[in-house]
Amino acid sequence: MIRAKRDRHSLSDAQIDWVVDAYTRGVVADEQMSALAMAIFLNGMEPGEIARWTNAMIDTGERMSFADLGKVTADKHSTGGVGDKVTLPLAPLVASYGVAVPQLSGRGLGHTGGTLDKLEAIPGWSADVSNARLREILADPGCVICAPGADLVPADKRLYALRDVTATVDCIPLIASSIMSKKIAEGAGSLTLDVKVGSGAFMKDAQTARALAETMVRLGKDSGLATSALLTDMSRPLGRAIGNALEVEESVAVLAGGGPADLVELTVALADEMLTKSGVDHDDLAERLADGRAMDTWKAMIRAQGGDPDAELPRATHTEDVVAERDGWLTETDALAFGVASWRLGAGRARKEDPVQAGAGIELHAVVGDKVSAGQKLFTLHTDTPERIPRALEALTPGFTVGDDEPAERASVILDAVK
Ligand code: URA
């Protein structure tokens, strides 16, 4: 199989079924799967191979079903970015309409944050929820954000860890099958994908992001899951906060009817997609954020998972301000630079088993398009380990620019859609 893929041949259904299952059982060795993953990375897969690979991954574990819940279920997945905390306000917003939202989420690795790491900044909150409890919480208050059980696509747990250390993550067939196997196995009624485009995302340009979105939407539809995707801008951080507790704080601001415009725009657009696919009227989305109904669902969700939604969030022990060196316009805040800087401050992890700092991260006091003057505070770095600040600044400093000309306004954070 390694030789076939190396020499640009397609794998048969039987070969795919066997290798995915055998790797999950430990019969195929890591070095062999590494070679196969690299051959797939270099030579790609046909649509039929990707579909079969996805199904073979699903078949290594359990398939969940919410058919007996008595509620419509809707799921959302983001391919990951910097400052992307949308799941936090989105899940309770959609659940406030009576739609059940099971969000089986992940932890951060590298420069992108993880939803579970963010919520763990809330005192008492736990990501571990049994399948039985998951159903109870989906019944009321209606949304759960938790870690997937060990039986949900075990093939992906092994394969993703291997890809992470063999430079085979950013490959459309492997990303699409990894994400869609989990989402199809999860068994929700519909799926809305947020495919990020730009320096802070896996897909750096609109063309490859669109190809990934089309591959995933096709995989979903072919297996009976109503799926659509938005392509959204990740060339700069989303919102004005990066880092676990800082992002929870910003999400709560959105749930209180405030928050940065780009974050609100994306939250509302994704909620619109999810509710439309669920067949639910929702012409008052912004009102739900303003009048506290989504906030009530958020608080109930946090309490249902052991957290105290009113507790003070942890703060880092040290801060450092970055100021503008000259007058001008902020023309660039590169998502990757900010993600790496925040990671170095302690908000992210280098290895799966590393702890993260709840309070670490970056606050953006200015965003692209703002007029700034010399000495004005642009960003504040937060960390419990101040010895990390110089390395964080090394990543951050080349990633923002103050220029002479006002930059063109970004019309929308949403670039495109695949339906
Ligand atoms: N997220 C996943 O779950 N899998 C990938 O391969 C990439 C992002």
Side-chain angles (χ1 to χ4, degrees):
M1 272 177 251
I2 298 166
R3 189 185 308 122
K5 204 26 99 182
R6 183 197 66 185
D7 295 342
R8 296 196 168 81
H9 300 298
S10 293
L11 301 178
S12 71
D13 290 352
Q15 284 178 320
I16 290 172
D17 293 349
W18 182 82
V19 78
V20 170
D21 176 62
Y23 178 62
T24 308
R25 288 185 290 112
V27 171
V28 167
D30 276 347
E31 55 270 28
Q32 292 178 302
M33 190 49 111
S34 307
L36 184 57
M38 186 57 83
I40 292 169
F41 182 97
L42 295 171
N43 293 330
M45 274 179 152
E46 297 296 328
E49 289 178 284
I50 303 175
R52 192 70 184 203
W53 187 278
T54 305
N55 281 328
M57 300 218 351
I58 295 169
D59 286 345
T60 62
E62 67 169 338
R63 259 186 119 119
M64 299 169 74
S65 168
F66 298 111
D68 56 354
L69 203 63
K71 275 177 141 180
V72 183
T73 50
D75 193 4
K76 167 258 178 186
H77 182 83
S78 157
T79 56
V82 177
D84 179 12
K85 71 281 289 172
V86 170
T87 298
L88 277 57
L90 178 67
L93 175 58
V94 172
S96 77
Y97 285 87
V99 172
V101 185
Q103 283 292 160
L104 304 190
S105 302
R107 292 179 194 284
L109 197 62
H111 75 274
T112 59
T115 300
L116 301 182
D117 294 330
K118 294 171 197 185
L119 285 165
E120 279 174 351
I122 301 173
W125 186 88
S126 169
D128 295 320
V129 174
S130 69
N131 278 357
R133 182 73 184 127
L134 174 74
R135 280 165 191 284
E136 280 172 18
I137 309 176
L138 284 180
D140 182 36
C143 49
V144 182
I145 302 175
C146 66
D151 280 344
L152 194 88
V153 194
D156 187 60
K157 296 191 172 64
R158 284 204 73 185
L159 191 53
Y160 193 86
L162 184 81
R163 288 167 55 212
D164 189 47
V165 293
T166 56
T168 50
V169 169
D170 45 346
C171 159
I172 288 178
L174 295 177
I175 295 177
S177 54
S178 163
I179 292 175
M180 293 308 293
S181 60
K182 289 176 286 193
K183 293 289 143 184
I184 295 166
E186 224 178 283
S190 70
L191 173 64
T192 302
L193 296 162
D194 178 4
V195 178
K196 302 285 186 194
V197 189
S199 74
F202 285 124
M203 300 293 127
K204 307 295 181 199
D205 62 82
Q207 203 184 341
T208 38
R210 194 172 172 86
L212 174 64
E214 283 171 352
T215 305
M216 291 197 290
V217 168
R218 179 171 350 174
L219 285 171
K221 285 185 175 166
D222 285 353
S223 57
L225 177 62
T227 309
S228 63
L230 298 184
L231 269 64
T232 71
D233 186 19
M234 189 33 69
S235 61
R236 56 178 100 154
L238 185 65
R240 290 170 171 258
I242 308 164
N244 303 310
L246 294 170
E247 293 192 37
V248 172
E249 206 171 84
E250 189 167 78
S251 303
V252 170
V254 172
L255 287 160
D262 58 348
L263 178 59
V264 174
E265 184 197 7
L266 186 51
T267 304
V268 166
L270 290 166
D272 177 38
E273 272 295 310
M274 292 169 79
L275 291 164
T276 301
K277 286 204 289 285
S278 302
V280 173
D281 283 343
H282 55 278
D283 45 13
D284 58 344
L285 275 166
E287 219 176 283
R288 291 249 162 175
L289 291 171
D291 70 13
R293 276 179 289 177
M295 179 73 95
D296 291 344
T297 309
W298 157 264
K299 289 191 174 188
M301 171 183 80
I302 297 300
R303 283 196 194 100
Q305 291 178 238
D308 177 357
D310 300 315
E312 213 166 298
L313 291 165
R315 285 254 150 207
T317 52
H318 291 77
T319 58
E320 170 110 355
D321 293 332
V322 176
V323 299
E325 286 182 353
R326 49 166 290 192
D327 295 347
W329 300 87
L330 189 57
T331 55
E332 185 199 13
T333 53
D334 177 69
L336 181 60
F338 279 71
V340 171
S342 174
W343 173 34
R344 289 185 179 169
L345 290 166
R349 55 172 69 76
R351 286 168 309 168
K352 271 209 316 273
E353 53 283 3
D354 291 348
V356 296
Q357 293 178 24
I362 304 173
E363 264 177 290
L364 289 82
H365 308 293
V367 293
V368 171
D370 285 353
K371 198 165 199 291
V372 300
S373 41
Q376 181 182 329
K377 191 161 74 171
L378 297 179
F379 319 115
T380 301
L381 314 189
H382 296 246
T383 184
D384 295 331
T385 39
E387 62 277 15
R388 295 175 182 228
I389 289 174
R391 289 273 292 142
L393 285 171
E394 254 174 55
L396 186 73
T397 308
F400 72 91
T401 316
V402 176
D404 291 327
D405 301 319
E406 182 178 5
E409 205 181 322
R410 178 175 66 179
S412 167
V413 69
I414 297 149
L415 307 175
D416 203 353
V418 175
K419 306 232 172 164

